[in-house]
Amino acid sequence: MKLVKGKKSNWIKDAEYRLKNRKWHSYSSNIARRILAALENKENFSQKKLATIINVSPQYISKVVKGKENLSLETIAKISEALDTELITFPDYNYNKEDNKIIENVQNIPNNTEADQMLRIITLPYSNISITSEFSTLKQKAVTEKMINLLKPSSSEFEEADSFNFSVIKISDSK
Amino acid sequence: MKISCIFRKKDREFLWAINEKKGKKDIDVFSKLLEDFTNTEYLYEFFKKNQDLLNTPFWEGITIDKAIEKVLDEIYSIELELYSIVNQLPGYQHSSLSDVFVPLHENIYSLNFTNENFRKGKANVLKPMIRLYAIELEDGIFIITGGAIKLSQKMDGPNFEYEINKLNSLKKFLKQENIIDKDSLIDYLNNQ
């Protein structure tokens, strides 16, 4: 059997690291995107300026915007204040266990399209469930809009908040 | 041309990649792509520059935020699938690289990571955004030449011509050096 001499790739080691740390990498990337957008929207505000304000090196900010840095809450708060932008938002947590269970069950329906899930959520006869959903494509928005229009005449208890903003769908209690 | 071994599975299957310059570093393209495609700043700038293509019917107006999320999800799927194959994790004892690379044209292959296990609940992965390109030297022996983020239906997106040129350069190089299988490739690399 022939083997090749020389340096081997570090891929396996790197892959293990990325797979193991996937969850916080995703958080870090989300924060990085918000920082990049905030920097872009502010006039005369560079990564270097941000570094000066929060008293870190420009190299550190450069790493942060790559979305691979394990940021402390303190650092996130400092950047947030410097940019005057919220980098993390917390959705309202539903403390009613039963409602959470219903939402979880619907989300876990296997082999289901997002549109099917939305339809099931909308037609579920449970009360006071607020579902926040971001639509990744215009098509998904359109499908949901169509479903809402179909359901609306026969379902007086249904109301959508923010008039077709499609970010919040609320099902009110009919009982 | 420098070629690096990414991994081998039981000495039967190998994944290789050509090397490229990144700054002053000489790095295999596979590692370079993984580095770039997990770099939020790189992806943010790429999608900002090509935002018009995200608004075409092909990507149905996907937001930059979702596009970045999608690339990160796909990279995760690619690595998990390859890692599962090379380590023969449960469910992958009989899987091979040939299962994840699909032919594009003659012996040019593209990595197909649309395994059911990895797209559960992720409808968008049905239309992958990332393409990795490779040449199959012999059964189960692949050499990756590069990759791209696919932004249009036809394979004519940004950097695609550059990727085609790299595929052709590798084909020419293999022919020129009379590299026809794994053993002749290893001989070549050991004599470099």
Side-chain angles (χ1 to χ4, degrees):
Chain A
M1 181 192 65
K2 289 183 173 181
L3 287 176
V4 68
K5 291 177 198 163
K7 201 183 157 194
K8 277 184 187 171
S9 160
N10 287 326
W11 174 73
I12 292 194
K13 211 174 138 193
D14 293 345
E16 273 170 3
Y17 175 78
R18 280 188 287 261
L19 294 173
K20 192 178 157 191
N21 297 297
R22 158 86 175 137
K23 187 81 174 172
W24 72 256
H25 278 173
S26 172
Y27 292 150
S28 185
S29 171
N30 268 287
I31 291 169
R33 281 173 250 162
R34 274 139 194 83
I35 295 171
L36 288 164
L39 285 169
E40 203 175 273
N41 293 334
K42 281 186 179 293
E43 275 182 32
N44 304 319
F45 212 108
S46 61
Q47 289 186 24
K48 204 175 166 186
K49 189 175 176 182
L50 175 62
T52 310
I53 293 172
I54 66 163
N55 203 20
V56 295
S57 68
Q59 290 80 5
Y60 179 73
I61 296 296
S62 172
K63 276 200 227 169
V64 168
V65 294
K66 283 186 169 65
K68 297 177 187 180
E69 198 61 21
N70 192 353
L71 296 153
S72 69
L73 289 172
E74 189 184 353
T75 307
I76 297 167
K78 278 183 186 171
I79 299 174
S80 174
E81 280 170 0
L83 294 171
D84 194 21
T85 304
E86 278 304 333
L87 299 174
I88 305 179
T89 50
F90 298 94
D92 281 346
Y93 185 75
N94 193 338
Y95 291 93
N96 183 332
K97 277 184 188 175
E98 279 307 303
D99 282 357
N100 278 333
K101 210 172 172 182
I102 293 159
I103 294 168
E104 199 180 302
N105 286 341
V106 173
Q107 284 167 345
N108 288 337
I109 296 169
N111 301 322
N112 214 13
T113 64
E114 211 165 315
D116 285 341
Q117 286 187 16
M118 288 305 298
L119 186 61
R120 287 181 196 219
I121 291 166
I122 291 165
T123 52
L124 273 174
Y126 297 106
S127 60
N128 295 325
I129 305 170
S130 294
I131 295 144
T132 303
S133 177
E134 285 180 26
F135 294 87
S136 55
T137 66
L138 293 172
K139 195 178 172 187
Q140 286 169 4
K141 270 187 185 179
V143 169
T144 312
E145 182 179 16
K146 204 172 175 184
M147 291 192 309
I148 289 167
N149 282 330
L150 281 170
L151 286 160
K152 216 174 171 183
S154 59
S155 176
S156 57
E157 71 273 24
F158 175 78
E159 61 178 62
E160 74 274 29
D162 205 9
S163 176
F164 292 97
N165 183 9
F166 303 108
S167 59
V168 179
I169 294 169
K170 191 175 182 181
I171 301 167
S172 61
D173 190 3
S174 59
K175 290 168 192 170
Chain B
M1 184 176 279
K2 284 189 180 173
I3 298 172
S4 297
C5 180
I6 306 299
F7 66 74
R8 64 172 186 268
K9 182 194 167 195
K10 275 196 162 181
D11 304 316
R12 285 186 293 107
E13 292 183 90
F14 281 74
L15 185 63
W16 307 79
I18 61 166
N19 281 23
E20 266 185 355
K21 286 269 178 219
K22 186 174 183 178
K24 287 179 183 174
K25 278 196 293 181
D26 198 37
I27 184 173
D28 71 82
V29 287
F30 186 59
S31 302
K32 182 175 172 278
L33 287 167
L34 292 174
E35 208 173 293
D36 286 346
F37 292 169
T38 54
N39 178 343
T40 302
E41 189 179 24
Y42 173 93
L43 295 172
Y44 183 85
E45 281 166 8
F46 177 85
F47 287 123
K48 270 270 171 186
K49 199 173 140 194
N50 296 291
Q51 201 164 3
D52 288 353
L53 291 168
L54 295 180
N55 291 326
T56 58
F58 186 67
W59 284 113
E60 300 169 325
I62 186 172
T63 63
I64 289 179
D65 219 33
K66 291 286 173 195
I68 294 175
E69 205 64 60
K70 185 165 164 54
V71 170
L72 295 175
D73 278 350
E74 289 183 18
I75 286 293
Y76 175 77
S77 299
I78 287 171
E79 290 214 286
L80 186 55
E81 193 151 8
L82 290 176
Y83 186 82
S84 303
I85 288 172
V86 72
N87 289 297
Q88 297 190 289
L89 297 184
Y92 286 87
Q93 290 92 336
H94 305 294
S95 298
S96 72
L97 286 179
S98 305
D99 296 328
V100 291
F101 280 94
V102 291
L104 284 180
H105 176 67
E106 292 174 355
N107 62 338
I108 296 174
Y109 282 72
S110 169
L111 184 64
N112 170 32
F113 51 93
T114 51
N115 186 306
E116 279 287 339
N117 293 333
F118 299 130
R119 54 184 159 102
K120 200 184 272 181
K122 293 176 189 166
N124 281 339
V125 179
L126 289 169
K127 194 156 70 176
M129 218 172 214
I130 293 175
R131 289 286 187 276
L132 294 183
Y133 304 109
I135 283 182
E136 187 180 40
L137 199 55
E138 61 174 291
D139 271 358
I141 312 287
F142 291 89
I143 306 171
I144 293 178
T145 58
I149 293 174
K150 187 182 159 93
L151 289 177
S152 55
Q153 194 159 15
K154 282 186 183 174
M155 292 162 74
D156 58 359
N159 302 328
F160 185 68
E161 205 171 311
Y162 174 66
E163 294 303 326
I164 285 290
N165 286 340
K166 281 196 288 179
L167 281 161
N168 287 333
S169 295
L170 179 64
K171 274 170 88 173
K172 198 175 156 190
F173 167 80
L174 295 172
K175 201 175 171 185
Q176 188 184 303
E177 299 295 334
N178 205 20
I179 299 168
I180 49 158
D181 55 17
K182 181 186 76 181
D183 286 349
S184 51
L185 174 63
I186 292 173
D187 278 345
Y188 170 83
L189 295 172
N190 284 338
N191 290 326
Q192 261 185 326

